[in-house]
PDB file of all heavy atoms in Angstrom:
ATOM      1  N   ARG A  67      -9.932 -11.863 -14.804  1.00 77.00           N
ATOM      2  CA  ARG A  67      -9.920 -11.025 -13.611  1.00 77.00           C
ATOM      3  C   ARG A  67     -10.125  -9.550 -13.990  1.00 77.00           C
ATOM      4  O   ARG A  67      -9.670  -9.098 -15.001  1.00 77.00           O
ATOM      5  CB  ARG A  67      -8.568 -11.118 -12.894  1.00 77.00           C
ATOM      6  CG  ARG A  67      -8.316 -12.391 -12.107  1.00 77.00           C
ATOM      7  CD  ARG A  67      -9.225 -12.488 -10.897  1.00 77.00           C
ATOM      8  NE  ARG A  67      -9.384 -11.245 -10.172  1.00 77.00           N
ATOM      9  CZ  ARG A  67      -8.530 -10.809  -9.261  1.00 77.00           C
ATOM     10  NH1 ARG A  67      -7.461 -11.529  -8.928  1.00 77.00           N
ATOM     11  NH2 ARG A  67      -8.740  -9.669  -8.650  1.00 77.00           N
ATOM     12  N   PHE A  68     -10.895  -8.843 -13.151  1.00 72.00           N
ATOM     13  CA  PHE A  68     -11.047  -7.415 -13.343  1.00 72.00           C
ATOM     14  C   PHE A  68     -11.466  -6.780 -12.015  1.00 72.00           C
ATOM     15  O   PHE A  68     -11.663  -7.500 -11.032  1.00 72.00           O
ATOM     16  CB  PHE A  68     -12.075  -7.103 -14.423  1.00 72.00           C
ATOM     17  CG  PHE A  68     -13.515  -7.086 -13.950  1.00 72.00           C
ATOM     18  CD1 PHE A  68     -14.250  -5.921 -13.925  1.00 72.00           C
ATOM     19  CD2 PHE A  68     -14.104  -8.256 -13.469  1.00 72.00           C
ATOM     20  CE1 PHE A  68     -15.568  -5.902 -13.442  1.00 72.00           C
ATOM     21  CE2 PHE A  68     -15.445  -8.233 -13.000  1.00 72.00           C
ATOM     22  CZ  PHE A  68     -16.138  -7.066 -12.996  1.00 72.00           C
ATOM     23  N   HIS A  69     -11.560  -5.491 -11.994  1.00 88.00           N
ATOM     24  CA  HIS A  69     -12.035  -4.738 -10.816  1.00 88.00           C
ATOM     25  C   HIS A  69     -10.954  -4.629  -9.745  1.00 88.00           C
ATOM     26  O   HIS A  69     -10.677  -5.594  -9.029  1.00 88.00           O
ATOM     27  CB  HIS A  69     -13.315  -5.349 -10.233  1.00 88.00           C
ATOM     28  CG  HIS A  69     -14.320  -4.304  -9.842  1.00 88.00           C
ATOM     29  ND1 HIS A  69     -15.508  -4.588  -9.198  1.00 88.00           N
ATOM     30  CD2 HIS A  69     -14.318  -2.955  -9.999  1.00 88.00           C
ATOM     31  CE1 HIS A  69     -16.196  -3.480  -8.984  1.00 88.00           C
ATOM     32  NE2 HIS A  69     -15.465  -2.445  -9.464  1.00 88.00           N
ATOM     33  N   TYR A  70     -10.352  -3.482  -9.659  1.00 95.00           N
ATOM     34  CA  TYR A  70      -9.347  -3.140  -8.653  1.00 95.00           C
ATOM     35  C   TYR A  70      -8.091  -4.029  -8.810  1.00 95.00           C
ATOM     36  O   TYR A  70      -7.629  -4.622  -7.815  1.00 95.00           O
ATOM     37  CB  TYR A  70      -9.945  -3.276  -7.215  1.00 95.00           C
ATOM     38  CG  TYR A  70     -11.286  -2.623  -7.056  1.00 95.00           C
ATOM     39  CD1 TYR A  70     -12.337  -3.240  -6.393  1.00 95.00           C
ATOM     40  CD2 TYR A  70     -11.485  -1.321  -7.567  1.00 95.00           C
ATOM     41  CE1 TYR A  70     -13.540  -2.620  -6.227  1.00 95.00           C
ATOM     42  CE2 TYR A  70     -12.753  -0.684  -7.397  1.00 95.00           C
ATOM     43  CZ  TYR A  70     -13.781  -1.354  -6.762  1.00 95.00           C
ATOM     44  OH  TYR A  70     -14.982  -0.756  -6.602  1.00 95.00           O
ATOM     45  N   THR A  71      -7.582  -4.130  -9.998  1.00 96.00           N
ATOM     46  CA  THR A  71      -6.338  -4.843 -10.227  1.00 96.00           C
ATOM     47  C   THR A  71      -5.367  -3.878 -10.912  1.00 96.00           C
ATOM     48  O   THR A  71      -5.744  -2.888 -11.554  1.00 96.00           O
ATOM     49  CB  THR A  71      -6.512  -6.045 -11.141  1.00 96.00           C
ATOM     50  OG1 THR A  71      -6.866  -5.635 -12.466  1.00 96.00           O
ATOM     51  CG2 THR A  71      -7.599  -6.994 -10.612  1.00 96.00           C
ATOM     52  N   TRP A  72      -4.050  -4.170 -10.765  1.00 97.00           N
ATOM     53  CA  TRP A  72      -3.032  -3.324 -11.378  1.00 97.00           C
ATOM     54  C   TRP A  72      -3.171  -3.340 -12.901  1.00 97.00           C
ATOM     55  O   TRP A  72      -2.938  -2.363 -13.576  1.00 97.00           O
ATOM     56  CB  TRP A  72      -1.645  -3.817 -11.012  1.00 97.00           C
ATOM     57  CG  TRP A  72      -1.189  -3.744  -9.617  1.00 97.00           C
ATOM     58  CD1 TRP A  72      -0.554  -4.731  -8.906  1.00 97.00           C
ATOM     59  CD2 TRP A  72      -1.263  -2.649  -8.685  1.00 97.00           C
ATOM     60  NE1 TRP A  72      -0.244  -4.326  -7.645  1.00 97.00           N
ATOM     61  CE2 TRP A  72      -0.651  -3.034  -7.503  1.00 97.00           C
ATOM     62  CE3 TRP A  72      -1.799  -1.353  -8.791  1.00 97.00           C
ATOM     63  CZ2 TRP A  72      -0.584  -2.188  -6.371  1.00 97.00           C
ATOM     64  CZ3 TRP A  72      -1.720  -0.522  -7.690  1.00 97.00           C
ATOM     65  CH2 TRP A  72      -1.112  -0.932  -6.498  1.00 97.00           C
ATOM     66  N   GLU A  73      -3.550  -4.519 -13.452  1.00 94.00           N
ATOM     67  CA  GLU A  73      -3.530  -4.719 -14.908  1.00 94.00           C
ATOM     68  C   GLU A  73      -4.758  -4.102 -15.594  1.00 94.00           C
ATOM     69  O   GLU A  73      -4.716  -3.852 -16.810  1.00 94.00           O
ATOM     70  CB  GLU A  73      -3.476  -6.207 -15.241  1.00 94.00           C
ATOM     71  CG  GLU A  73      -2.272  -6.969 -14.720  1.00 94.00           C
ATOM     72  CD  GLU A  73      -2.433  -7.378 -13.263  1.00 94.00           C
ATOM     73  OE1 GLU A  73      -3.527  -7.243 -12.712  1.00 94.00           O
ATOM     74  OE2 GLU A  73      -1.424  -7.803 -12.685  1.00 94.00           O
ATOM     75  N   ASP A  74      -5.827  -3.873 -14.851  1.00 93.00           N
ATOM     76  CA  ASP A  74      -7.060  -3.379 -15.418  1.00 93.00           C
ATOM     77  C   ASP A  74      -6.931  -1.890 -15.786  1.00 93.00           C
ATOM     78  O   ASP A  74      -6.825  -1.040 -14.893  1.00 93.00           O
ATOM     79  CB  ASP A  74      -8.188  -3.578 -14.422  1.00 93.00           C
ATOM     80  CG  ASP A  74      -9.580  -3.273 -14.994  1.00 93.00           C
ATOM     81  OD1 ASP A  74      -9.656  -2.762 -16.107  1.00 93.00           O
ATOM     82  OD2 ASP A  74     -10.579  -3.539 -14.250  1.00 93.00           O
ATOM     83  N   THR A  75      -6.942  -1.592 -17.071  1.00 95.00           N
ATOM     84  CA  THR A  75      -6.784  -0.164 -17.514  1.00 95.00           C
ATOM     85  C   THR A  75      -8.116   0.506 -17.780  1.00 95.00           C
ATOM     86  O   THR A  75      -8.172   1.690 -18.142  1.00 95.00           O
ATOM     87  CB  THR A  75      -5.946  -0.119 -18.792  1.00 95.00           C
ATOM     88  OG1 THR A  75      -6.555  -0.908 -19.796  1.00 95.00           O
ATOM     89  CG2 THR A  75      -4.526  -0.621 -18.528  1.00 95.00           C
ATOM     90  N   ALA A  76      -9.201  -0.214 -17.583  1.00 93.00           N
ATOM     91  CA  ALA A  76     -10.552   0.368 -17.727  1.00 93.00           C
ATOM     92  C   ALA A  76     -10.840   1.215 -16.495  1.00 93.00           C
ATOM     93  O   ALA A  76     -10.038   1.310 -15.572  1.00 93.00           O
ATOM     94  CB  ALA A  76     -11.607  -0.704 -17.900  1.00 93.00           C
ATOM     95  N   ASN A  77     -12.012   1.812 -16.448  1.00 94.00           N
ATOM     96  CA  ASN A  77     -12.384   2.652 -15.278  1.00 94.00           C
ATOM     97  C   ASN A  77     -12.331   1.893 -13.985  1.00 94.00           C
ATOM     98  O   ASN A  77     -12.153   2.442 -12.919  1.00 94.00           O
ATOM     99  CB  ASN A  77     -13.795   3.242 -15.480  1.00 94.00           C
ATOM    100  CG  ASN A  77     -13.787   4.467 -16.371  1.00 94.00           C
ATOM    101  OD1 ASN A  77     -12.750   5.106 -16.601  1.00 94.00           O
ATOM    102  ND2 ASN A  77     -14.938   4.821 -16.918  1.00 94.00           N
ATOM    103  N   SER A  78     -12.539   0.561 -14.040  1.00 92.00           N
ATOM    104  CA  SER A  78     -12.609  -0.246 -12.868  1.00 92.00           C
ATOM    105  C   SER A  78     -11.272  -0.671 -12.274  1.00 92.00           C
ATOM    106  O   SER A  78     -11.210  -1.286 -11.234  1.00 92.00           O
ATOM    107  CB  SER A  78     -13.413  -1.540 -13.182  1.00 92.00           C
ATOM    108  OG  SER A  78     -12.850  -2.195 -14.302  1.00 92.00           O
ATOM    109  N   GLY A  79     -10.171  -0.311 -12.942  1.00 95.00           N
ATOM    110  CA  GLY A  79      -8.839  -0.795 -12.515  1.00 95.00           C
ATOM    111  C   GLY A  79      -8.056   0.177 -11.671  1.00 95.00           C
ATOM    112  O   GLY A  79      -8.452   1.308 -11.470  1.00 95.00           O
ATOM    113  N   PHE A  80      -6.897  -0.314 -11.249  1.00 97.00           N
ATOM    114  CA  PHE A  80      -5.972   0.477 -10.439  1.00 97.00           C
ATOM    115  C   PHE A  80      -4.671   0.799 -11.205  1.00 97.00           C
ATOM    116  O   PHE A  80      -3.642   1.072 -10.590  1.00 97.00           O
ATOM    117  CB  PHE A  80      -5.575  -0.321  -9.169  1.00 97.00           C
ATOM    118  CG  PHE A  80      -6.422  -0.030  -7.965  1.00 97.00           C
ATOM    119  CD1 PHE A  80      -6.601  -1.018  -6.997  1.00 97.00           C
ATOM    120  CD2 PHE A  80      -7.006   1.199  -7.763  1.00 97.00           C
ATOM    121  CE1 PHE A  80      -7.417  -0.772  -5.883  1.00 97.00           C
ATOM    122  CE2 PHE A  80      -7.799   1.459  -6.666  1.00 97.00           C
ATOM    123  CZ  PHE A  80      -8.003   0.480  -5.715  1.00 97.00           C
ATOM    124  N   SER A  81      -4.720   0.779 -12.537  1.00 97.00           N
ATOM    125  CA  SER A  81      -3.514   0.952 -13.307  1.00 97.00           C
ATOM    126  C   SER A  81      -2.899   2.329 -13.117  1.00 97.00           C
ATOM    127  O   SER A  81      -1.655   2.463 -13.042  1.00 97.00           O
ATOM    128  CB  SER A  81      -3.774   0.692 -14.808  1.00 97.00           C
ATOM    129  OG  SER A  81      -4.758   1.590 -15.303  1.00 97.00           O
ATOM    130  N   ILE A  82      -3.717   3.367 -12.981  1.00 97.00           N
ATOM    131  CA  ILE A  82      -3.194   4.725 -12.836  1.00 97.00           C
ATOM    132  C   ILE A  82      -2.511   4.874 -11.489  1.00 97.00           C
ATOM    133  O   ILE A  82      -1.415   5.425 -11.378  1.00 97.00           O
ATOM    134  CB  ILE A  82      -4.313   5.765 -12.994  1.00 97.00           C
ATOM    135  CG1 ILE A  82      -4.861   5.738 -14.416  1.00 97.00           C
ATOM    136  CG2 ILE A  82      -3.807   7.154 -12.632  1.00 97.00           C
ATOM    137  CD1 ILE A  82      -6.024   6.688 -14.671  1.00 97.00           C
ATOM    138  N   TRP A  83      -3.149   4.375 -10.414  1.00 98.00           N
ATOM    139  CA  TRP A  83      -2.553   4.483  -9.084  1.00 98.00           C
ATOM    140  C   TRP A  83      -1.269   3.658  -9.048  1.00 98.00           C
ATOM    141  O   TRP A  83      -0.271   4.025  -8.434  1.00 98.00           O
ATOM    142  CB  TRP A  83      -3.538   4.021  -8.006  1.00 98.00           C
ATOM    143  CG  TRP A  83      -3.190   4.488  -6.629  1.00 98.00           C
ATOM    144  CD1 TRP A  83      -2.461   5.607  -6.308  1.00 98.00           C
ATOM    145  CD2 TRP A  83      -3.511   3.854  -5.389  1.00 98.00           C
ATOM    146  NE1 TRP A  83      -2.348   5.730  -4.915  1.00 98.00           N
ATOM    147  CE2 TRP A  83      -2.999   4.641  -4.350  1.00 98.00           C
ATOM    148  CE3 TRP A  83      -4.237   2.715  -5.066  1.00 98.00           C
ATOM    149  CZ2 TRP A  83      -3.151   4.330  -3.018  1.00 98.00           C
ATOM    150  CZ3 TRP A  83      -4.388   2.383  -3.735  1.00 98.00           C
ATOM    151  CH2 TRP A  83      -3.849   3.183  -2.706  1.00 98.00           C
ATOM    152  N   GLY A  84      -1.300   2.505  -9.729  1.00 98.00           N
ATOM    153  CA  GLY A  84      -0.080   1.686  -9.807  1.00 98.00           C
ATOM    154  C   GLY A  84       1.069   2.476 -10.453  1.00 98.00           C
ATOM    155  O   GLY A  84       2.200   2.411  -9.984  1.00 98.00           O
ATOM    156  N   ASN A  85       0.779   3.212 -11.493  1.00 98.00           N
ATOM    157  CA  ASN A  85       1.802   4.007 -12.177  1.00 98.00           C
ATOM    158  C   ASN A  85       2.320   5.124 -11.270  1.00 98.00           C
ATOM    159  O   ASN A  85       3.471   5.519 -11.312  1.00 98.00           O
ATOM    160  CB  ASN A  85       1.260   4.596 -13.464  1.00 98.00           C
ATOM    161  CG  ASN A  85       1.108   3.540 -14.547  1.00 98.00           C
ATOM    162  OD1 ASN A  85       1.796   2.544 -14.574  1.00 98.00           O
ATOM    163  ND2 ASN A  85       0.199   3.813 -15.489  1.00 98.00           N
ATOM    164  N   ILE A  86       1.456   5.638 -10.381  1.00 98.00           N
ATOM    165  CA  ILE A  86       1.860   6.660  -9.444  1.00 98.00           C
ATOM    166  C   ILE A  86       2.873   6.079  -8.479  1.00 98.00           C
ATOM    167  O   ILE A  86       3.907   6.677  -8.132  1.00 98.00           O
ATOM    168  CB  ILE A  86       0.668   7.264  -8.706  1.00 98.00           C
ATOM    169  CG1 ILE A  86      -0.157   8.128  -9.676  1.00 98.00           C
ATOM    170  CG2 ILE A  86       1.116   8.108  -7.524  1.00 98.00           C
ATOM    171  CD1 ILE A  86      -1.487   8.628  -9.084  1.00 98.00           C
ATOM    172  N   PHE A  87       2.602   4.872  -7.947  1.00 98.00           N
ATOM    173  CA  PHE A  87       3.531   4.194  -7.063  1.00 98.00           C
ATOM    174  C   PHE A  87       4.859   3.990  -7.750  1.00 98.00           C
ATOM    175  O   PHE A  87       5.935   4.239  -7.189  1.00 98.00           O
ATOM    176  CB  PHE A  87       2.969   2.845  -6.614  1.00 98.00           C
ATOM    177  CG  PHE A  87       2.054   2.918  -5.414  1.00 98.00           C
ATOM    178  CD1 PHE A  87       0.688   2.643  -5.533  1.00 98.00           C
ATOM    179  CD2 PHE A  87       2.551   3.211  -4.149  1.00 98.00           C
ATOM    180  CE1 PHE A  87      -0.141   2.658  -4.411  1.00 98.00           C
ATOM    181  CE2 PHE A  87       1.728   3.254  -3.040  1.00 98.00           C
ATOM    182  CZ  PHE A  87       0.380   2.995  -3.175  1.00 98.00           C
ATOM    183  N   LYS A  88       4.836   3.519  -8.997  1.00 98.00           N
ATOM    184  CA  LYS A  88       6.057   3.261  -9.734  1.00 98.00           C
ATOM    185  C   LYS A  88       6.852   4.528  -9.954  1.00 98.00           C
ATOM    186  O   LYS A  88       8.103   4.523  -9.954  1.00 98.00           O
ATOM    187  CB  LYS A  88       5.718   2.558 -11.035  1.00 98.00           C
ATOM    188  CG  LYS A  88       5.271   1.114 -10.881  1.00 98.00           C
ATOM    189  CD  LYS A  88       5.259   0.332 -12.175  1.00 98.00           C
ATOM    190  CE  LYS A  88       4.183   0.789 -13.132  1.00 98.00           C
ATOM    191  NZ  LYS A  88       4.126  -0.073 -14.335  1.00 98.00           N
ATOM    192  N   SER A  89       6.143   5.642 -10.205  1.00 97.00           N
ATOM    193  CA  SER A  89       6.841   6.902 -10.425  1.00 97.00           C
ATOM    194  C   SER A  89       7.599   7.382  -9.169  1.00 97.00           C
ATOM    195  O   SER A  89       8.510   8.203  -9.282  1.00 97.00           O
ATOM    196  CB  SER A  89       5.845   8.001 -10.849  1.00 97.00           C
ATOM    197  OG  SER A  89       5.028   8.406  -9.780  1.00 97.00           O
ATOM    198  N   LYS A  90       7.214   6.848  -8.036  1.00 97.00           N
ATOM    199  CA  LYS A  90       7.857   7.178  -6.761  1.00 97.00           C
ATOM    200  C   LYS A  90       8.899   6.131  -6.358  1.00 97.00           C
ATOM    201  O   LYS A  90       9.385   6.131  -5.221  1.00 97.00           O
ATOM    202  CB  LYS A  90       6.817   7.349  -5.664  1.00 97.00           C
ATOM    203  CG  LYS A  90       5.917   8.557  -5.926  1.00 97.00           C
ATOM    204  CD  LYS A  90       4.869   8.731  -4.809  1.00 97.00           C
ATOM    205  CE  LYS A  90       3.993   9.963  -5.061  1.00 97.00           C
ATOM    206  NZ  LYS A  90       4.768  11.211  -5.019  1.00 97.00           N
ATOM    207  N   GLY A  91       9.184   5.216  -7.277  1.00 96.00           N
ATOM    208  CA  GLY A  91      10.255   4.256  -7.027  1.00 96.00           C
ATOM    209  C   GLY A  91       9.818   2.906  -6.482  1.00 96.00           C
ATOM    210  O   GLY A  91      10.662   2.038  -6.225  1.00 96.00           O
ATOM    211  N   ALA A  92       8.506   2.707  -6.299  1.00 97.00           N
ATOM    212  CA  ALA A  92       8.021   1.444  -5.743  1.00 97.00           C
ATOM    213  C   ALA A  92       7.804   0.426  -6.825  1.00 97.00           C
ATOM    214  O   ALA A  92       7.624   0.751  -8.010  1.00 97.00           O
ATOM    215  CB  ALA A  92       6.719   1.675  -5.017  1.00 97.00           C
ATOM    216  N   GLY A  93       7.840  -0.860  -6.438  1.00 97.00           N
ATOM    217  CA  GLY A  93       7.524  -1.920  -7.355  1.00 97.00           C
ATOM    218  C   GLY A  93       6.126  -2.453  -7.036  1.00 97.00           C
ATOM    219  O   GLY A  93       5.617  -2.288  -5.939  1.00 97.00           O
ATOM    220  N   LEU A  94       5.500  -3.122  -8.010  1.00 98.00           N
ATOM    221  CA  LEU A  94       4.142  -3.618  -7.851  1.00 98.00           C
ATOM    222  C   LEU A  94       4.140  -5.150  -7.938  1.00 98.00           C
ATOM    223  O   LEU A  94       4.888  -5.758  -8.689  1.00 98.00           O
ATOM    224  CB  LEU A  94       3.227  -3.089  -8.935  1.00 98.00           C
ATOM    225  CG  LEU A  94       3.115  -1.573  -9.095  1.00 98.00           C
ATOM    226  CD1 LEU A  94       2.178  -1.229 -10.220  1.00 98.00           C
ATOM    227  CD2 LEU A  94       2.727  -0.895  -7.818  1.00 98.00           C
ATOM    228  N   THR A  95       3.256  -5.722  -7.115  1.00 98.00           N
ATOM    229  CA  THR A  95       3.015  -7.177  -7.227  1.00 98.00           C
ATOM    230  C   THR A  95       1.605  -7.441  -6.765  1.00 98.00           C
ATOM    231  O   THR A  95       0.884  -6.542  -6.334  1.00 98.00           O
ATOM    232  CB  THR A  95       4.046  -7.952  -6.346  1.00 98.00           C
ATOM    233  OG1 THR A  95       3.928  -9.359  -6.634  1.00 98.00           O
ATOM    234  CG2 THR A  95       3.807  -7.748  -4.873  1.00 98.00           C
TER     235      THR A  95
END
Side-chain angles (χ1 to χ4, degrees):
R67 284 293 318 276
F68 84 113
H69 222 185
Y70 313 134
T71 68
W72 295 136
E73 300 82 9
D74 187 353
T75 58
N77 279 343
S78 54
F80 267 151
S81 60
I82 295 177
W83 199 26
N85 287 335
I86 291 174
F87 275 111
K88 289 193 289 185
S89 73
K90 295 181 178 295
L94 305 181
T95 190

